[in-house]
Amino acid sequence: MTDEHIIEAIGKTRIVVRDGRVVEVGKPLIRSCPLAEKFSCPVHEMTEGAIRENIEDRMRAFGMCTPGRQVTDRSDFVLFGASELISSALRNGLVRSAVIVCDGAGTVVVTAPDQVQGIGGRVSGIVQTSPILQVIGRIENLGGRVLDPGTARIDMPAGAAFAYDLSLSPAAVTVATADDAETVRAAHPDALIIAVHTTGVSAEEARRLAAVADLVTACASAAIREEAGPRALLQAGTAVPVFAMTPLGKRVVLTKLQETDRQVLVSGKALPAAGGREPEPLI
């Protein structure tokens, strides 16, 4: 079986890692992102070289797309990242499990906050991955469960069903499409649904995500800001906002705020609220 991993990251650039090497770097959909400039290996200008260097740094630092992949971490990389919010929800009993994606394993169900952060904190937009036995073993040895160890397929509705079959409900489930969000919501009304990887979604897709997700990350999406922003109960962050669409989503954000020792400004304002630099352009 070919060891191949396809990721969309850093401006939703298509990146292919094969046999431990970056073999393809596509063209980013945006020119700049304030979050990318704060990476441990910063990307100030979205060129092929800078993006390749960032991905290779992740491979060296924590073994992304390799047998040495680390799957635990206790550090917050951003205050309102999806993995940070899910980890907090797990710690505080708002959910019992998380259905997320790991390179080398595909869709996984985990119950430990540090596994959520270790798997998802520094990686986003995994489109396709291949099974890596060492990574799967590491996840399972720590109590996680892999949906399909033989193929490492990515299937979030099936992952949600897997979590509920394991009696690990309610579950937090990350989704990248409205179809997945609607399927999970119909099957599991109590799930915490987090819409991620939304750069470039259509206005219709944004409307559907805003209607069923509890939390929606705006990424570089103009449509998410326009469709989710005015309907949101709470907005976390301004440069790359996260919109809480339901009382549960709002509770997750407020619970995370209770944990942090960072200074935070809370202000009543019509949403969406912009402030500081945003990704350019919003698409």
Side-chain angles (χ1 to χ4, degrees):
M1 181 179 290
T2 301
D3 175 39
E4 182 174 273
H5 314 271
I6 302 174
I7 302 165
E8 290 179 345
I10 316 172
K12 214 167 186 177
T13 304
R14 184 179 188 272
I15 300 149
V16 179
V17 178
R18 187 178 300 132
D19 297 325
R21 294 178 55 250
V22 179
V23 298
E24 181 184 325
V25 177
K27 293 184 178 179
L29 298 187
I30 62 174
R31 291 187 299 272
S32 65
C33 174
L35 289 184
E37 295 174 5
K38 297 178 181 178
F39 290 160
S40 58
C41 179
V43 178
H44 296 287
E45 185 178 357
M46 292 195 178
T47 63
E48 177 183 340
I51 293 168
R52 180 185 296 272
E53 183 179 357
N54 176 275
I55 296 300
E56 290 175 344
D57 178 74
R58 299 189 205 193
M59 294 170 71
R60 289 189 299 268
F62 62 95
M64 186 180 75
C65 300
T66 75
R69 175 65 151 92
Q70 298 172 16
V71 296
T72 60
D73 202 304
R74 294 184 178 180
S75 305
D76 279 4
F77 300 106
V78 292
L79 183 56
F80 300 118
S83 60
E84 284 82 1
L85 291 170
I86 295 170
S87 297
S88 174
L90 277 170
R91 277 192 297 272
N92 290 280
L94 301 182
V95 294
R96 292 191 61 207
S97 65
V99 182
I100 56 178
V101 178
C102 183
D103 47 288
T107 298
V108 301
V109 178
V110 298
T111 57
D114 60 343
Q115 260 196 293
V116 173
Q117 188 64 5
I119 289 170
R122 291 179 284 186
V123 179
S124 63
I126 302 170
V127 176
Q128 180 181 318
T129 192
S130 300
I132 300 176
L133 295 181
Q134 296 91 329
V135 178
I136 292 169
R138 204 167 289 126
I139 291 169
E140 292 181 336
N141 287 341
L142 291 169
R145 300 290 293 271
V146 178
L147 174 66
D148 191 340
T151 66
R153 68 186 169 107
I154 297 171
D155 186 331
M156 304 318 287
F162 186 34
Y164 279 72
D165 286 345
L166 293 168
S167 298
L168 295 174
S169 61
V173 186
T174 58
V175 299
T177 69
D179 283 347
D180 280 359
E182 289 166 351
T183 300
V184 172
R185 179 61 74 212
H188 312 291
D190 63 343
L192 171 67
I193 299 176
I194 306 98
V196 298
H197 201 51
T198 60
T199 296
V201 301
S202 68
E204 176 62 21
E205 185 92 350
R207 278 193 291 272
R208 291 169 63 197
L209 286 169
V212 296
D214 297 284
L215 294 164
V216 182
T217 60
C219 300
S221 170
I224 291 292
R225 286 166 173 79
E226 292 165 3
E227 298 294 338
R231 298 171 54 177
L233 303 180
L234 180 152
Q235 174 181 325
T238 53
V240 183
V242 175
F243 296 111
M245 308 305 300
T246 65
L248 176 59
K250 182 177 181 180
R251 186 179 176 192
V252 169
V253 174
L254 294 177
T255 299
K256 178 60 183 173
L257 284 176
Q258 287 182 312
E259 289 187 337
T260 187
D261 56 3
R262 301 187 193 183
Q263 290 184 309
V264 177
L265 169 67
V266 178
S267 175
K269 193 172 185 179
L271 303 179
R277 286 186 55 212
E278 293 183 305
E280 296 180 359
L282 297 178
I283 60 173

